[in-house]
Amino acid sequence: MENSLSLTEENYIKAIFQIGTTPESNVSTNALADSLQTKPATVSDMIKKLSYKKLIFYEKYKGVALSESGSKEALKIIRKHRLWEVFLVNHLNFKWDQVHEIAEQLEHIKSSELVNRLDDFLGNPTIDPHGDPIPDAKGRVQLGPSKLLSEMTSHEKGIIVGVKNEDPLLLQHLDKINIRLGLQIEVTEVNDFDQSMQVKLPDLGIIFLSKKITSQILITKNS
Amino acid sequence: MENSLSLTEENYIKAIFQIGTTPESNVSTNALADSLQTKPATVSDMIKKLSYKKLIFYEKYKGVALSESGSKEALKIIRKHRLWEVFLVNHLNFKWDQVHEIAEQLEHIKSSELVNRLDDFLGNPTIDPHGDPIPDAKGRVQLGPSKLLSEMTSHEKGIIVGVKNEDPLLLQHLDKINIRLGLQIEVTEVNDFDQSMQVKLPDLGIIFLSKKITSQILITKNS
DNA sequence: ATTAATTTTTAGATTAATCTAAAAGTTTAG
DNA sequence: CTAAACTTTTAGATTAATCTAAAAATTAAT
Ligand SMILES: [Mn+2]
Ligand SMILES: [Mn+2]
Ligand SMILES: [Mn+2]
Ligand SMILES: [Mn+2]
């Protein structure tokens, strides 16, 4: 079973998982090259290898999608990434904008025993510090339905449950304006011209948010 | 400062540190090949690279020794290895025979912020689960004087403070016969013929130990 | 002090991951 | 439906880490 993936292979599998919205949608060579900060030629070579190893389905010029075993691997890596992020924030007092890079390294540590013990140690968390769901040991994720703040209309209410990406500058800005997961939020006004919003938050009162920010914040679907 | 070492380079630096007893003693190409489970030809290539990077002193056919910066790197890696071992044993409930392999991976995670926060989280431990001293953030180690149990004579007393290597089979055997760090031990008899010993331990009474085991157990020098 | 044994280095290949440049295939626009 | 634009693949090189086989240097034994 010479099974174990190289660090590079793991990063490709994870990127394919994260770019492909549905398991169906094929991921393009260029999208992968962008995401992995490499060149399309490099990607072409690597997807041939992953295809040979049956981790992905691949037809020339038609992009790739993860196979069953590919998805399983991706979920294992994502599980590790997010559990380590919880550890870093909850136990080592890192801020949510500081953990992604370190978790990018820790997600490649190979020991299922370690992951499962870490999971228990952390109290089997279901979401990571950014609101992303943590797959369980069998790869199952429970994802509450959510929508973007930018998709909400005036007078709608909800609870902030996540952020769409982990750009440290975004996260630091959210810290600065005191926005964090779990807050009740109410849209008080939407400006059609630039889609900026005014929203009401507990204690903070009414604050102004640009489209750039509202399009990164996830809100519960039914509140 | 394109400074950062590759995983392979780190493993060489660590091996050189651990084989070289004193900073003076040169480490041979073959010793490194053995320790790193590779071939002498491979080692010859790598030490040229490390020498070029000024991490080691090297003269052809005369072996290598770590430079100041090489030693610093080695101590950083060892610090990480041992801190992670403490984490695994104290917080994830691993046994002392299960942690070395995982720590071999974790020691390569790059983030000084992480190491220092981990150190604090663990309560700034000074020894790892095998009794080995943990270098502090500046690379300083405080090593209490110790000797091997096999070097003790009849009626000598001491406290078990460490094990010389981390072979899981040795560690499991010590568990089985209830030997662990911190125990008071007294040599009751030494058999000259095979250098086996009888020793007295609290609660356990008198037990028999072969030379193979007594030569792996470290005891306080002055009790 | 030669010779034999051992150690170390060099020479030449291989594999994984990467790149640039060019060729081939697919999509989009007139 | 062709032609331009874009995407993807192939061809050929490069770098890090590794190997085997052979040459060179050192060390040990007569
Ligand atoms: Mn992350
Ligand atoms: Mn996250
Ligand atoms: Mn260890
Ligand atoms: Mn140890």
Side-chain angles (χ1 to χ4, degrees):
Chain A
M1 302 284 118
E2 273 326 323
N3 213 345
S4 184
L5 304 182
S6 73
L7 187 142
T8 305
E9 291 171 330
E10 289 194 342
N11 281 334
Y12 272 78
I13 293 296
K14 186 175 57 135
I16 294 167
F17 187 95
Q18 286 174 332
I19 296 168
T21 1
T22 72
E24 290 306 290
S25 66
N26 280 14
V27 173
S28 76
T29 300
N30 272 359
L32 274 173
D34 278 1
S35 167
L36 293 162
Q37 310 215 80
T38 182
K39 294 290 180 292
T42 309
V43 173
S44 271
D45 277 344
M46 182 58 74
I47 64 189
K48 269 182 260 174
K49 190 181 2 166
L50 296 175
S51 174
Y52 176 77
K53 291 193 176 188
K54 311 243 195 243
L55 292 159
I56 61 177
F57 300 118
Y58 168 53
E59 273 183 277
K60 262 189 200 173
Y61 294 100
K62 293 185 143 187
V64 299
L66 290 176
S67 69
E68 200 60 40
S69 69
S71 290
K72 259 182 66 181
E73 289 299 327
L75 284 162
K76 276 202 257 179
I77 301 162
I78 288 164
R79 170 170 159 80
K80 285 190 277 182
H81 182 106
R82 293 180 181 166
L83 284 173
W84 281 116
E85 284 188 344
V86 172
F87 173 67
L88 296 174
V89 167
N90 291 3
H91 295 274
L92 299 193
N93 302 118
F94 279 98
K95 302 279 182 54
W96 68 345
D97 59 297
Q98 302 175 304
V99 296
H100 181 73
E101 277 303 304
I102 298 174
E104 287 289 304
Q105 298 179 62
L106 287 165
E107 71 188 7
H108 301 289
I109 301 293
K110 286 174 169 45
S111 165
S112 45
E113 190 66 12
L114 171 60
V115 190
N116 295 333
R117 282 172 188 261
L118 180 63
D119 191 18
D120 287 345
F121 170 76
L122 299 171
N124 309 109
T126 57
I127 58 165
D128 84 358
H130 313 99
D132 293 310
I134 299 175
D136 72 13
K138 277 151 194 148
R140 288 173 305 216
V141 288
Q142 47 183 142
L143 179 49
S146 66
K147 63 189 163 195
L148 289 174
L149 176 53
S150 57
E151 289 160 354
M152 293 173 78
T153 53
S154 251
H155 305 296
E156 259 191 282
K157 288 183 190 174
I159 293 164
I160 301 174
V161 292
V163 280
K164 258 190 77 184
N165 84 51
E166 298 182 13
D167 172 15
L169 294 176
L170 166 67
L171 299 173
Q172 282 160 28
H173 181 66
L174 293 178
D175 272 347
K176 186 172 154 197
I177 61 178
N178 290 298
I179 286 186
R180 55 182 194 282
L181 303 194
L183 292 185
Q184 161 96 39
I185 193 170
E186 178 182 348
V187 178
T188 52
E189 197 179 333
V190 180
N191 302 300
D192 275 355
F193 176 65
D194 62 355
Q195 285 142 310
S196 64
M197 280 182 176
Q198 267 149 291
V199 301
K200 196 165 128 195
L201 290 158
D203 305 326
L204 299 172
I206 289 177
I207 66 169
F208 169 89
L209 296 175
S210 68
K211 173 79 184 306
K212 183 160 181 188
I213 288 173
T214 60
S215 62
Q216 297 292 337
I217 295 179
L218 293 164
I219 310 291
T220 43
K221 206 136 207 179
N222 299 317
S223 143
Chain B
M1 300 286 117
E2 274 326 321
N3 213 344
S4 183
L5 304 182
S6 73
L7 186 142
T8 306
E9 291 172 330
E10 288 194 343
N11 282 335
Y12 272 79
I13 293 297
K14 185 174 58 134
I16 294 166
F17 187 94
Q18 286 173 334
I19 296 168
T21 1
T22 71
E24 289 309 289
S25 66
N26 280 14
V27 174
S28 76
T29 300
N30 272 0
L32 273 173
D34 278 1
S35 166
L36 293 163
Q37 311 215 79
T38 185
K39 296 289 180 290
T42 309
V43 173
S44 270
D45 277 345
M46 182 59 72
I47 62 187
K48 269 182 259 172
K49 192 185 352 168
L50 296 175
S51 173
Y52 176 77
K53 292 192 176 189
K54 313 244 194 239
L55 292 158
I56 60 177
F57 299 118
Y58 168 53
E59 272 183 278
K60 265 190 198 174
Y61 294 101
K62 294 186 144 186
V64 299
L66 290 176
S67 69
E68 200 59 41
S69 69
S71 290
K72 258 182 68 180
E73 289 300 326
L75 285 163
K76 277 202 256 179
I77 302 162
I78 289 164
R79 170 169 159 81
K80 286 190 275 182
H81 182 107
R82 293 180 181 167
L83 284 173
W84 280 116
E85 284 189 344
V86 173
F87 172 68
L88 296 173
V89 167
N90 291 3
H91 295 274
L92 300 192
N93 302 118
F94 279 98
K95 303 277 182 53
W96 69 345
D97 59 298
Q98 303 176 304
V99 296
H100 182 73
E101 277 304 304
I102 299 175
E104 287 288 305
Q105 297 180 63
L106 287 164
E107 73 189 5
H108 300 290
I109 301 293
K110 284 174 170 47
S111 164
S112 45
E113 189 67 12
L114 171 59
V115 190
N116 294 333
R117 281 172 188 261
L118 179 64
D119 190 19
D120 288 344
F121 171 76
L122 298 171
N124 310 108
T126 56
I127 58 164
D128 84 358
H130 313 99
D132 292 310
I134 299 176
D136 72 13
K138 277 153 194 147
R140 287 172 304 216
V141 289
Q142 48 183 141
L143 179 50
S146 66
K147 63 189 163 196
L148 289 173
L149 175 53
S150 57
E151 289 163 353
M152 293 173 78
T153 53
S154 251
H155 305 297
E156 260 191 281
K157 288 182 188 177
I159 294 164
I160 302 174
V161 291
V163 281
K164 256 190 79 182
N165 84 52
E166 298 182 14
D167 171 15
L169 294 176
L170 166 68
L171 298 174
Q172 283 158 30
H173 180 68
L174 293 178
D175 272 346
K176 187 173 155 197
I177 61 178
N178 291 297
I179 286 187
R180 55 183 193 285
L181 303 195
L183 292 185
Q184 160 96 41
I185 194 169
E186 179 181 348
V187 178
T188 52
E189 198 178 333
V190 180
N191 302 301
D192 274 355
F193 177 63
D194 62 356
Q195 283 142 308
S196 64
M197 280 182 177
Q198 267 150 292
V199 300
K200 195 165 129 195
L201 291 157
D203 305 326
L204 300 171
I206 289 177
I207 66 171
F208 171 89
L209 296 175
S210 69
K211 172 80 184 305
K212 184 161 180 186
I213 288 172
T214 59
S215 62
Q216 297 292 336
I217 294 178
L218 293 165
I219 310 291
T220 44
K221 205 134 208 179
N222 299 317
S223 141

